[in-house]
């Protein structure tokens, strides 16, 4: 018998109601929490071992300016190289020495809002500042442990106000300066306690002004406010997710997520600003997407990720493709709630649905 129009309308309405019931079941059960997942895609690489333009000898750090140019600390070649975002060589500056514009191991890089380049000139125990074309501007620092002195500065970062934070590694502390190198404050001593360091390496600024420090031999990341007050930490020695074997470079994206170059685990790990693990990628090797002791990590305005793949003597570039996934446990819970709710709803609709003339309900 052909279903009556009344039956068709009733069934259609029931389907709609059941669909709404499923959605409400997911919400009420707290399971409509799609897990944010990202697929990290290898995009390109450039560099090989050597001293020529576009070649590297143990690149330690990488930075990207607002125009998309990529700067690489070509550490054992004692120079800075500049590239387009596709890896095309633009220029290089620096040589071994102690004069202005010369280097004794270029370690960390930072860029301010005017596209000035700051370089941690590690074994000269100083910071040098340049234009984006490599023109020398100024320098500060000398060997020592007094305020403003440095011992093997490893990395540095510039905040939105132009203040410069230096991971003063050999002094087991962070120092904060004006953009002209005037000392502001410092924090940290040698140790394992909160706010102490064992050779701080990477340093980064979050959108809220908090300072993230890769505490190298303590195998952790520590978080401070801009004046050095300790806030939190995460990490421990190991190879599981959220653990480190000597974290090196660190950077923060526009949403506050933190990327850490996990040196001897040959991988990059990503965390929330509170230290909750999100994802990781990489393994030991020289294939695309593999690393040999990565040290530097940087992001451009489009969210592309650049890695200084140190002992592969190259830079690798990655993109991210976000996706949404409902966890298996969430789906199971949601189905259970849906089954109970829909059964109750079906009984209710069956009981009160309109009677069709000439038919027993």
């Amino acid at each position: 018998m052909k279903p009556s129009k009344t039956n068709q309308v009733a069934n259609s309405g029931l389907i709609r109601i059941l669909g709404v019931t499923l959605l409400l079941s997911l919400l009420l059960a707290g399971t409509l929490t799609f897990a944010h997942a990202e697929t990290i895609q290898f995009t390109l690489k450039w560099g090989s071992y050597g001293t020529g333009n576009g070649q590297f000898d143990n690149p330690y750090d990488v930075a990207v300016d607002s125009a998309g140019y990529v700067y690489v600390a070509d550490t054992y070649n004692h120079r800075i190289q500049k590239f387009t975002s596709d890896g095309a060589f633009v220029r290089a500056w620096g040589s071994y020495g102690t004069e202005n514009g010369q280097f004794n191991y270029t370690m960390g890089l930072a860029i301010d809002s005017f596209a000035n380049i700051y370089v941690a000139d590690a074994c000269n125990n100083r910071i040098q500042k340049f234009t984006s074309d490599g023109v020398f501007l100024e320098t500060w620092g000398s060997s020592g442990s007094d305020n403003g002195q440095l011992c093997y500065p490893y990395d540095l970062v510039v905040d939105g106000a132009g203040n410069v934070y230096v991971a003063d590694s050999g002094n087991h502390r962070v120092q904060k300066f004006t953009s002209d190198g005037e000392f502001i404050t410092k924090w940290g001593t040698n140790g394992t306690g909160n706010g102490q360091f064992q050779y701080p390496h990477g340093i980064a600024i979050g959108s809220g002004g908090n300072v993230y420090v890769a505490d190298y031999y303590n195998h952790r990341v520590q978080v401070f406010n801009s004046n050095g007050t300790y806030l939190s930490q995460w990490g421990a020695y190991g190879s599981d997710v959220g653990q480190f074997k000597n974290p090196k470079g660190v950077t923060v994206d526009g949403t506050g997520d933190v990327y850490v170059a996990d040196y001897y685990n040959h991988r990059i790990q990503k965390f929330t600003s509170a230290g909750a693990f999100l994802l990781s990628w990489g393994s030991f090797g020289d294939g695309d997407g593999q690393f040999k002791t990565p040290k530097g990590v940087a992001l451009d305005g489009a969210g592309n990720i650049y890695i200084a793949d140190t002992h592969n003597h190259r830079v690798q570039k990655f993109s991210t493709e976000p996706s949404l996934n409902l966890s298996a446990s969430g789906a199971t819970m949601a189905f259970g709630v849906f089954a109970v709710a829909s059964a109750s709803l079906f009984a209710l609709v069956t009981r009160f649905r309109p009677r069709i003339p000439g038919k027993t309900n």
Side-chain angles (χ1 to χ4, degrees), residues 130-287:
F130 303 85
T131 70
S132 59
D133 293 327
V135 177
F136 173 82
L137 295 175
E138 61 183 308
T139 185
W140 72 85
S142 60
S143 179
S145 58
D146 290 338
N147 294 344
Q149 292 187 312
L150 302 166
C151 180
Y152 201 70
Y154 199 95
D155 198 12
L156 71 174
V157 67
V158 184
D159 68 16
N163 299 309
V164 182
Y165 302 75
V166 179
D168 187 9
S169 188
N171 284 321
H172 311 285
R173 65 185 181 182
V174 171
Q175 293 198 70
K176 180 179 178 180
F177 302 89
T178 68
S179 60
D180 295 325
E182 295 182 13
F183 174 81
I184 298 175
T185 190
K186 66 184 178 182
W187 67 88
T189 57
N190 186 17
T192 61
N194 295 344
Q196 293 185 308
F197 304 109
Q198 287 193 330
Y199 296 95
H201 278 195
I203 189 167
I205 299 288
S207 58
N210 290 336
V211 182
Y212 296 79
V213 183
D215 190 4
Y216 185 69
Y217 278 117
N218 282 327
H219 312 285
R220 64 185 177 182
V221 172
Q222 295 198 69
V223 188
F224 304 85
N225 70 16
S226 59
N227 293 318
T229 300
Y230 170 84
L231 299 176
S232 63
Q233 64 175 284
W234 70 86
Y237 179 80
S239 298
D240 291 338
V241 296
Q243 295 183 321
F244 303 110
K245 286 186 178 179
N246 305 102
K248 284 275 191 179
V250 58
T251 196
V252 183
D253 67 19
T255 65
D257 292 333
V258 182
Y259 299 74
V260 182
D262 189 4
Y263 188 60
Y264 283 117
N265 280 323
H266 312 285
R267 66 185 178 184
I268 308 301
Q269 294 198 70
K270 180 178 178 180
F271 303 86
T272 68
S273 59
F277 173 80
L278 293 174
L279 61 88
S280 69
W281 75 96
S283 60
F284 179 79
D286 56 12

Side-chain angles (χ1 to χ4, degrees), residues 260-335:
V260 182
D262 189 4
Y263 188 60
Y264 283 117
N265 280 323
H266 312 285
R267 66 185 178 184
I268 308 301
Q269 294 198 70
K270 180 178 178 180
F271 303 86
T272 68
S273 59
F277 173 80
L278 293 174
L279 61 88
S280 69
W281 75 96
S283 60
F284 179 79
D286 56 12
D288 294 345
Q290 293 185 308
F291 305 110
K292 287 183 180 178
T293 56
K295 291 188 177 180
V297 54
L299 299 167
D300 66 17
N304 296 305
I305 307 162
Y306 299 81
I307 307 298
D309 187 7
T310 303
H311 288 115
N312 278 323
H313 310 286
R314 66 185 180 183
V315 172
Q316 292 197 68
K317 179 180 178 180
F318 300 85
S319 62
T320 61
E321 295 184 3
S323 60
L324 293 174
N325 294 304
L326 181 64
S327 67
S329 59
T332 301
M333 289 175 63
F335 180 77

Side-chain angles (χ1 to χ4, degrees), residues 54-96:
Q55 293 185 309
F56 304 112
D57 188 352
N58 287 274
Y60 269 41
D61 203 9
V62 60
V64 187
D65 69 17
S66 59
Y69 288 106
V70 181
Y71 302 80
V72 181
D74 188 7
T75 304
Y76 283 34
N77 281 326
H78 310 285
R79 65 182 179 182
I80 305 300
Q81 294 198 66
K82 179 179 179 179
F83 302 87
T84 67
S85 60
D86 294 328
F89 175 80
V90 176
R91 62 174 47 87
W93 70 89
S95 60
Y96 177 77

